[in-house]
Each structure stands twice: as C-alpha cells, then as structure tokens.
Amino acid sequence: MANDTLSVTDNRTGKKYELKIENGCIRAMDLRGMKVDAEDFGLMAYDPAFMNTANCKSAITFIDGDKGILEYRGYPIDQLAEKSTHLETSYLLMNGELPTKPQLDEFVTKITHHTYVHENIKQFMDGFRYDAHPMSMLASTVAALSSFYPEAKQVKNKEVRRNQMMRLIAKMPTLAAFSYRHSQGLPYIYPNNDLSYTENFLTMVKSIGKPNWRPHPALVRALDVLFILHADHEQNCSTTSVRVVGSSEVDPYSAVAAGITALYGPLHGGANEAVLRMLREIGDKKNVPEFIKKVKDKDGDKKLMGFGHRVYKNYDPRAKVIKKACDEVFEVTGKNPLLDIAVELERIALQDDYFVQRKLYPNVDFYSGLIYEAMGFPMEFFTCLFAIPRTVGWVTQFEEMITDNEQKIARPRQIFTGPKKRDYVPTEKR
Ligand code: SDX
C-alpha cells in the first residue's frame, strides 16, 4: 500500500513519529525512540502473555483463528489427516515439501533406526515411584537424553542438529511407552523395526505375553491421524517455551524438555486429561445444565475444559476431524459412554450466550481424550499422546529459530512495581 506507516504524536512532548508497518506489525524497538528527555529509556509495549505480540517470523504452520483454518506448510490439516501419515507430515514440517517416495523411505528408515534408547535410560526410569505421572517421567528423561549426546550442543551445525531432531522424533514414542509400562508395573517392550511408527508405539505400550500381538489396524490409523493433528500449532505455549529456552543455544533435548513441561499444564496439553475428569465429574447427560451453570458462575473456578482457544474464535478444525475419528475407533472398541455427555455439553454450550459471546468452541482436546480412553489408555497418559507428535513441531520450530538471523537470546523487559531504593536495616532495628 502507498504509505505503510503509522503516524504517532507523543502528547507528552508534541513530537511526531512515523512508524513503519510491515507484515501487519510495527517493530516494538521503534517505540524506544519516543522519549520525554535524554534520560528516558524510551517507550516499550506492555503485553502480558503476549496476547498481541509476534515473537518471530515462521513459515511452518498457518492458523486463521476466525475462519478455523490450520495449514502445515500450506497444506490444509483435513487433507493431511485424510491422505497422509504422521511421518510423511513430519517430513513436510521439517523440510517444507511433501517427500518423494525415495525421500520418505529414507526418512522412515532413519527414524526407525533411532527408536532405541541407551540401556541406562531404563535404570533412570526405574528410579521413579511406581505412580509417577508419565509426563514428569517424559520431561525428565528427555532432558537426561542430552547427557547421552554431548555433540548436540553444536546447534549451529546443521548435520548434528538434524541428527538430534531425528533422534527426538524417533525416541519420544519409546520413552513414552517406557513411562507407561513403568507406571503399570510392566516390563519394557523394545522397539520393533518391522513395524510402522505408530504401530510400533502401540505395540510397545500394549503388548503383554504375546510376542506377535499387534494393535488393531483401525486403531493404528486413528492414532496416526491424531498424531498428524497434533504435530504443530505455530506459537503455542509449549513451542514458545522451546523457542525461548532454545534461544540460549542450549541443546534441543533440553529445549524440548521445556516444551514437555509447558504442555503438561491443564490449560495447554493437560486439557485432554482434564476433559475426561470433567466428563466423569458430570457423570450423566442430565447433570450438564447444572455444570454449565457452575462454569458461567464467575465466582467459581470451573472452566469448560476442551473449550476455548487463544487463536481459534471458531471451531478448531482439528476437533472436527477428531470427532469423526471417534466413530471409527468406537466401531472397534465399543462406544465410550462419556461421548453422550460430551455431545450434550457441546450442544448446550454452542447455543448458550456465555460461550457464543466469548467465541468458545471445542478445541483439539475436547474429543481426543474419549478416543484415548476407548483405546485403553489411562487419563494420566493422555498428554504423553500429545507430546509424541508435537515433538516434530517443537524441533522444527527450534531449528527455524536457531537459523533465523533476526533471533537472539530471548530477554524481555519489565515494568518495575517494587519499592524504590532504600537502605539496609539491621535486624535489631526491624
Ligand atoms: C491447547 O495455543 C495453542 O495452539 C494450544 C493448542 C496447541 O495445539 O498447541 O491448540 C492446544 O492448548 C488447546 C487449549 C486446551 N485448553 C483447554 O481446553 C482449557 C480450557 N480453555 C481455557 O483455559 C482457555 O480457553 C484457553 C487457555 C485455551 C485460552 O484462554 P485465553 O485465550 O487466555 O482466553 P481467556 O482466558 O482470556 O478467556 C476469555 C474469556 C474469559 O471470560 P471473561 O473474563 O471475558 O468473562 O472466556 C472465558 C474466560 O473466563 N473462557 C472460558 C473458557 N475459556 C475461556 N470460560 C469457561 N470455560 C473455558 N474453557
């Protein structure tokens, strides 16, 4: 456009400024020139929780929250969910293009041959209490992995960096499966290189006493679709954590461990576990109106878990695909009785002004837990099922940050609200 600028008058001084507008943004650093005198530090932008702050330029995932659009490297999520696999989508996210057959075969072979973890990891895992939450085990073990690959510190070396990215994608299912087996008091099952990524994961988790046991193909496909849906989601809380921690040039294992701990929170990846607890608490369709009333009661602390989103002010496109996958899974496992409560909750919420005005719709976590439970996973394991596929998003965003010449160590400013300078008071005078 003719004049991509913002004309600003600082009424404190009467000075006028022209700020450049680029990509729908002004540069926050351009505010620093607005001072009342030479001593003045200059203006800053105050934006708690980064509600309106772009912290990077990214070419990986595009979301249009108002239209409910989600695209990985330009490909619509519903097309990838229908036609792709998690590893093919992982290749797309990491490399920017869908792979040729030889490229995909090479990628799958590399991932397959990195699924084992060092035997010491088993001893590390065994150190956890029998009832340790799998997400705590996963975060700790991934952080510990950095001690097995000291070369990972060479984050600017593309070949070394890519090797660690492949290791993380390959080993996350193994570590998650081991943490599941530990919490169930079961022996670890080693990866089987003859199985696909998701089939191998389900076998490591579920196989008991039958070496040739294999998961139902429909469940493998459904979980692989869920993995595709959870692979990346631009600058969400956990990805931002990976970028911020990674900006200190720490190794990718340590940065991804930070992402896992952020994902653990009930407002983020922990929501799928919280949804099941909420549905259990409601207990029956007839209790839904009462529960909705509690959520709307602002004095209470009840949230409708699995609803709402910082970006989507429309139906989360992933929730639509997951709801469809429910039917395919329930054909094999039998319908999860909690589904009726979830459907009734959605029906009532979508016509209730409180939710409509706030543009609160089901998000990716609202239905996913129903599938995981139907597959026989305990609620504590649900967020691990989010962390596994999100690993490719985290490592790809990590690499994009590390290779972005505009990025440097993250170090925000603050508005100081504490006491002015004062002298030390000896104990006897306090
Ligand atoms: C994920 O960022 C990502 O992309 C995340 C994710 C990904 O793929 O990485 O999509 C995955 O984390 C999905 C979100 C899972 N979390 C939940 O389902 C938890 C429940 N949802 C809420 O906690 C909430 O909606 C958030 C955290 C998701 C978004 O919160 P925001 O953007 O900070 O919105 P807000 O808290 O400012 O809410 C605005 C209003 C408030 O009411 P008022 O103060 O204006 O009166 O909406 C209300 C909130 O109280 N509100 C809810 C609600 N979510 C928001 N009220 C009841 N139930 C809810 N779920």
Side-chain angles (χ1 to χ4, degrees):
M1 287 174 74
N3 52 346
D4 277 349
T5 60
L6 198 63
S7 299
V8 176
T9 302
D10 184 344
N11 294 319
R12 300 172 300 176
T13 60
K15 283 185 186 164
K16 297 186 184 306
Y17 302 86
E18 288 287 304
L19 299 186
K20 194 166 181 322
I21 297 172
E22 195 181 28
N23 301 311
C25 298
I26 58 166
R27 282 186 172 271
M29 282 305 288
D30 289 350
L31 298 172
R32 285 283 290 283
M34 299 178 191
K35 300 170 184 269
V36 292
D37 56 39
E39 295 299 302
D40 190 351
F41 177 79
L43 278 188
M44 293 192 291
Y46 177 51
D47 187 12
F50 314 119
M51 295 285 283
N52 192 41
T53 294
N55 73 333
C56 66
K57 291 174 182 170
S58 179
I60 301 166
T61 294
F62 173 73
I63 300 173
D64 181 321
D66 293 328
K67 297 185 185 128
I69 290 172
L70 168 56
E71 294 165 356
Y72 291 160
R73 300 286 191 180
Y75 292 93
I77 194 66
D78 55 327
Q79 290 186 30
L80 291 169
E82 189 189 334
K83 299 172 179 160
S84 188
T85 63
H86 179 60
L87 283 191
E88 182 182 70
T89 299
S90 298
Y91 182 99
L92 168 67
L93 286 167
M94 285 176 70
N95 299 290
E97 298 297 338
L98 286 169
T100 60
K101 180 80 171 59
Q103 286 169 332
L104 180 59
D105 290 347
E106 184 193 4
F107 185 78
V108 171
T109 302
K110 267 189 188 165
I111 292 286
T112 303
H113 289 87
H114 278 294
T115 50
Y116 266 66
V117 292
H118 192 289
E119 281 291 282
N120 284 167
I121 289 286
K122 282 166 45 179
Q123 291 145 31
F124 186 80
M125 283 253 177
D126 290 344
F128 286 94
R129 272 174 53 105
Y130 70 93
D131 58 354
H133 196 291
M135 279 297 279
S136 299
M137 296 175 69
L138 196 58
S140 319
T141 315
V142 168
L145 272 187
S146 67
S147 63
F148 289 85
Y149 306 104
E151 75 277 13
K153 291 179 173 47
Q154 301 169 48
V155 294
K156 299 283 192 183
N157 178 322
K158 179 170 182 180
E159 190 188 347
V160 170
R161 186 175 64 236
R162 282 268 156 151
N163 280 343
Q164 315 320 315
M165 290 164 70
M166 297 294 276
R167 281 175 169 146
L168 274 159
I169 295 167
K171 296 178 194 311
M172 201 61 79
T174 308
L175 295 174
F178 278 19
S179 64
Y180 174 86
R181 301 290 284 199
H182 173 82
S183 64
Q184 300 290 318
L186 291 169
Y188 302 121
I189 301 276
Y190 285 95
N192 178 338
N193 290 355
D194 295 333
L195 305 180
S196 71
Y197 186 80
T198 306
E199 189 181 23
N200 179 41
F201 167 66
L202 282 173
T203 303
M204 289 191 287
V205 167
K206 291 286 182 187
S207 171
I208 298 181
K210 294 181 179 173
N212 299 320
W213 177 87
R214 294 292 175 266
H216 192 291
L219 301 187
V220 173
R221 176 60 193 155
L223 189 59
D224 202 61
V225 168
L226 283 161
F227 281 0
I228 291 170
L229 298 174
H230 285 83
D232 189 58
H233 213 240
E234 55 131 288
Q235 307 311 314
N236 56 81
C237 177
S238 54
T239 296
T240 300
S241 304
V242 170
R243 279 179 170 262
V244 167
V245 168
S247 71
S248 69
E249 295 191 5
V250 76
D251 66 271
Y253 300 98
S254 306
V256 166
I260 296 172
T261 45
L263 189 72
Y264 193 1
L267 297 187
H268 190 11
N272 53 22
E273 179 181 342
V275 167
L276 261 289
R277 294 186 191 285
M278 172 186 75
L279 295 175
R280 284 241 160 70
E281 179 194 334
I282 294 170
D284 187 293
K285 266 171 68 171
K286 67 179 185 322
N287 303 329
V288 167
E290 180 57 30
F291 181 80
I292 292 259
K293 218 156 96 228
K294 282 186 203 158
V295 168
K296 290 159 64 176
D297 169 11
K298 296 305 282 181
D299 300 338
D301 64 349
K302 286 263 179 263
K303 281 187 181 289
L304 184 45
M305 300 313 278
F307 258 67
H309 200 277
R310 175 65 55 79
V311 176
Y312 289 125
K313 300 309 170 191
N314 199 321
Y315 217 98
D316 184 331
R318 300 168 296 178
K320 283 182 192 160
V321 179
I322 292 173
K323 198 170 171 187
K324 189 164 147 273
C326 277
D327 303 337
E328 288 146 25
V329 168
F330 294 159
E331 262 176 40
V332 173
T333 63
K335 191 170 125 185
N336 188 325
L338 296 175
L339 176 67
D340 292 337
I341 301 174
V343 170
E344 179 66 0
L345 205 48
E346 178 186 345
R347 185 186 69 78
I348 294 182
L350 292 186
Q351 63 192 12
D352 183 303
D353 257 359
Y354 174 93
F355 299 94
V356 174
Q357 277 167 14
R358 292 170 177 81
K359 298 186 177 177
L360 302 176
Y361 293 88
N363 59 46
V364 68
D365 293 302
F366 190 62
Y367 286 105
S368 54
L370 290 169
I371 292 183
Y372 298 147
E373 180 172 80
M375 287 181 170
F377 289 111
M379 284 187 288
E380 294 72 21
F381 197 62
F382 289 1
T383 311
C384 288
L385 297 169
F386 193 149
I388 292 170
R390 185 53 57 91
T391 301
V392 62
W394 287 329
V395 297
T396 304
Q397 298 268 355
F398 173 93
E399 179 169 70
E400 188 176 63
M401 177 274 302
I402 281 286
T403 55
D404 180 344
N405 296 328
E406 277 202 307
Q407 294 292 340
K408 51 173 65 175
I409 187 167
R411 206 285 184 213
R413 312 302 299 226
Q414 65 172 14
I415 297 171
F416 181 69
T417 57
K420 296 291 180 215
K421 182 174 174 259
R422 51 187 172 161
D423 294 328
Y424 183 81
V425 177
T427 312
E428 62 278 5
K429 292 191 175 167
R430 289 174 200 163

